[in-house]
């Protein structure tokens, strides 16, 4: 169809998300899809029944902007019991269209043209475009080495009068690492006395393994007073397609987020909120998630232990990095593509998330899959030499 002559794109360099690219390729080649991060098993039938029940009971009109009170109450309880911080249910919580919307709201509410935002790389691919759409300047800081360690020296150097925000993600996608208590305390010290806002992406908060523990920004006074903490029900309850999540922040910050929320969507899907409000009354539903995914991780790693891939077991998230440097020296983008077309398995090349696309010859595999899929995946990976 004909259109105007000039479109002044707001994101001229933006490319289609690697998640869409790899999932599409996987579909076209009928490959086992361990690329995009979502489970290939069902969410709890009880949760589905609760959504249907809420619909049938007539909860089909707009919810309040911040989300329904019973759900906000459950979120307050959950955070208080896990991290000791008590958020105010009426002024410090917003239920959102997944964590992606929470992140976008936070960035839009606080980033003005010319403001700098420190982004730790590798990073989830929505952060930087959201900063740019608001006229902000992403300041990437690469996490160190193949294990993506948090090193504060460079971050310290990047903080200046224009720094409006720093975005962290723990447990970390795609690194599979979890920031320790000591690192969170170092971050507190670094930000103390500044007006830098902390955007803490904690969507994998319940998916931690072995002796690792998730330390939320909510648990540290110097961090919580400046933090917008984002969470995802999709990641926690195996229903990423429902796009439900939330964010919490001190009242003064949340008031700004509400201004954006109001003109953006006003509120999110009402019956699903009713369902989560009920479901969250049973903490085991999220407290047992780490054990559930640890079994998947261990199964996957056991199945692939005799392959030519090398790995350090993920400490959190449902992603496992595999190092293929002993197989080939091909760039990860090429190798991941070849794995789909020649072998029939899809993964994510990590370089696309890294600063300057640094390539450690690593691929990210999502193990939130049925055991049958993991077995099929391992059979294929054994053939890659
Ligand atoms: N942050 C990270 C680090 C993610 O991996 C994802 C992907 N799910 C999100 C945010 C987005 O979460 P949601 O699907 O709830 O929007
Ligand atoms: N967070 C998911 C991943 O890392 C993908 C989310 C998306 O497709 N936007 O794979």
């Amino acid at each position: 169809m004909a259109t105007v002559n000039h479109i002044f794109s707001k994101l001229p360099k933006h490319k289609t998300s690697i998640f869409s690219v790899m999932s599409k390729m996987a579909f076209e080649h009928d490959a086992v899809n361990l690329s995009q991060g979502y489970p290939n098993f069902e969410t709890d039938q009880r949760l589905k029944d609760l959504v249907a029940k809420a619909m049938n009971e007539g909860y089909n009109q707009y919810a309040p902007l911040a989300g329904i009170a019973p759900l906000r109450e459950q979120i307050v309880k959950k955070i208080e019991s896990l991290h000791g911080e008590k958020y105010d249910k009426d002024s410090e919580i917003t239920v959102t269209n997944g964590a992606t919307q929470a992140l976008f709201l936070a960035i839009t509410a606080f980033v003005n043209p010319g403001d700098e935002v420190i982004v730790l790389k590798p990073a989830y691919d929505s952060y930087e475009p959201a900063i740019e759409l608001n006229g902000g300047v992403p300041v990437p800081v690469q996490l160190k080495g193949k294990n993506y360690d948090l090193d504060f020296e460079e971050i310290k150097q990047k903080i200046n009068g224009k720094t409006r925000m720093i975005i962290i993600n723990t447990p970390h996608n795609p690194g599979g690492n979890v920031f320790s208590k000591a690192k969170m305390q170092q971050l507190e010290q670094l930000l103390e006395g500044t007006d830098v806002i902390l955007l803490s992406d904690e969507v994998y908060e319940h998916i931690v393994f072995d002796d690792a523990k998730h330390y939320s920004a909510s648990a540290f006074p110097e961090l919580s007073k400046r933090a917008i903490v984002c969470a995802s029900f999709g990641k926690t309850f195996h229903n990423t397609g429902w796009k439900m999540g939330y964010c919490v922040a001190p009242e003064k910050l949340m008031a700004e987020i509400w201004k954006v929320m109001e003109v953006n969507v006003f509120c999110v899907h009402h019956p699903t909120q009713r369902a989560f409000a009920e479901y969250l009354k049973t903490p085991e539903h999220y407290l047992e998630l780490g054990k559930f995914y640890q079994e998947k991780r261990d199964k996957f790693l056991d199945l692939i232990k005799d392959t030519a891939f090398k790995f350090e077991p993920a400490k959190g998230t449902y992603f496992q990095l595999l190092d293929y440097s002993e197989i080939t020296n091909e760039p990860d983008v090429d190798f991941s593509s070849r794995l789909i077309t020649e072998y029939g398995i899809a993964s994510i090349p990590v370089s696309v998330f890294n600063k300057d696309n640094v390539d450690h010859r690593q691929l990210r595999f999502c193990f939130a899959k049925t055991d049958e899929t993991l077995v099929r995946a391992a059979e294929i990976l054994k053939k890659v030499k």
Side-chain angles (χ1 to χ4, degrees):
M1 193 191 290
T3 186
V4 295
N5 288 332
H6 299 290
I7 292 173
F8 299 93
S9 172
K10 295 190 79 172
L11 292 172
K13 292 176 296 179
H14 190 75
K15 296 198 200 109
T16 307
S17 162
I18 189 72
F19 306 121
S20 309
V21 173
M22 296 317 260
S23 273
K24 183 165 176 277
M25 260 184 101
F27 179 74
E28 284 164 2
H29 292 269
D30 199 19
V32 178
N33 189 2
L34 269 51
S35 64
Q36 196 173 16
Y38 63 86
N40 73 340
F41 42 83
E42 274 301 306
T43 191
D44 191 346
Q45 184 60 43
R46 185 162 167 250
L47 196 43
K48 290 194 273 188
D49 290 344
L50 285 168
V51 178
K53 180 167 170 270
M55 285 182 177
N56 289 327
E57 283 175 353
Y59 292 106
N60 299 305
Q61 308 308 329
Y62 295 127
L65 181 149
I68 59 165
L71 179 53
R72 285 183 276 117
E73 275 162 28
Q74 289 304 319
I75 294 169
V76 169
K77 277 193 192 156
K78 173 170 98 87
I79 298 174
E80 193 185 8
S81 72
L82 293 176
H83 307 298
E85 179 67 35
K86 188 168 172 49
Y87 286 89
D88 180 61
K89 77 168 174 42
D90 294 321
S91 59
E92 299 187 321
I93 294 173
T94 307
V95 181
T96 59
N97 196 211
T100 307
Q101 193 210 5
L103 294 160
F104 194 81
L105 292 174
I107 291 167
T108 304
F110 298 107
V111 176
N112 282 293
D115 285 348
E116 295 185 0
V117 180
I118 296 176
V119 179
L120 305 182
K121 304 281 283 182
Y124 180 52
D125 64 355
S126 84
Y127 305 161
E128 285 160 287
I131 296 164
E132 285 165 358
L133 278 174
N134 285 289
V137 182
V139 177
V141 173
Q142 179 69 23
L143 295 168
K144 299 291 170 272
K146 287 187 168 197
N147 292 327
Y148 304 105
D149 292 327
L150 183 56
D151 169 33
F152 287 99
E153 248 345 278
E154 198 181 338
I155 302 177
K156 208 171 175 175
Q157 286 163 18
K158 298 283 184 202
I159 295 182
N160 61 47
K162 287 194 204 156
T163 310
R164 178 69 55 241
M165 182 180 269
I166 173 165
I167 307 180
I168 63 166
N169 169 221
T170 182
H172 187 261
N173 173 16
N177 47 341
V178 179
F179 294 170
S180 66
K181 185 175 183 184
K183 293 283 181 192
M184 296 302 273
Q185 286 168 331
Q186 268 180 283
L187 185 63
E188 269 196 305
Q189 283 166 15
L190 187 70
L191 299 182
E192 191 171 358
T194 71
D195 283 329
V196 175
I197 286 172
L198 175 66
L199 182 52
S200 190
D201 178 346
E202 303 183 9
V203 298
Y204 302 101
E205 61 187 320
H206 302 297
I207 312 181
V208 287
F209 312 131
D210 309 318
D211 51 0
K213 181 170 163 17
H214 168 59
Y215 291 98
S216 171
S218 303
F220 301 82
E222 257 315 310
L223 298 182
S224 63
K225 72 185 221 193
R226 65 185 70 245
I228 300 140
V229 178
C230 301
S232 169
F233 289 135
K235 294 288 171 185
T236 300
F237 299 121
H238 318 306
N239 44 41
T240 58
W242 291 7
K243 290 301 302 187
M244 292 288 283
Y246 63 87
C247 60
V248 296
E251 182 174 355
K252 261 172 89 174
L253 299 185
M254 194 51 86
E256 295 302 316
I257 288 177
W258 284 356
K259 294 178 191 171
V260 185
M261 178 77 178
E262 189 163 51
V263 295
N264 179 214
V265 288
F266 186 77
C267 68
V268 297
H269 199 254
H270 191 162
T272 315
Q273 295 193 48
R274 294 276 154 200
F276 282 126
E278 195 53 38
Y279 201 71
L280 280 172
K281 287 183 185 162
T282 311
E284 288 69 30
H285 287 144
Y286 49 87
L287 294 178
E288 286 171 5
L289 196 66
K291 184 171 168 286
F292 172 79
Y293 275 123
Q294 184 168 325
E295 280 171 21
K296 294 251 171 239
R297 180 203 64 174
D298 290 347
K299 168 138 197 127
F300 183 53
L301 293 184
D302 187 51
L303 285 165
I304 63 163
K305 65 178 187 301
D306 297 325
T307 67
F309 293 90
K310 290 183 296 178
F311 54 79
E312 285 281 332
K315 297 190 176 68
T317 78
Y318 48 48
F319 301 114
Q320 177 64 48
L321 293 181
L322 298 186
D323 176 327
Y324 64 86
S325 56
E326 284 181 5
I327 301 173
T328 169
N329 196 28
E330 279 168 270
D332 62 358
V333 173
D334 297 346
F335 186 52
S336 58
S337 182
R338 195 160 70 80
L339 282 186
I340 297 179
T341 54
E342 285 182 20
Y343 291 89
I345 185 160
S347 58
I348 295 282
V350 178
S351 69
V352 296
F353 306 120
N354 280 337
K355 185 180 174 193
D356 303 324
N357 297 133
V358 56
D359 185 349
H360 291 306
R361 305 297 192 253
Q362 288 172 322
L363 301 176
R364 190 199 80 176
F365 291 80
C366 173
F367 55 80
K369 305 294 165 190
T370 59
D371 288 356
E372 188 201 346
T373 302
L374 296 178
V375 169
R376 273 173 63 215
E379 288 307 317
I380 296 173
L381 292 174
K382 278 181 199 155
K383 294 185 194 138
V384 184
K385 297 216 165 79

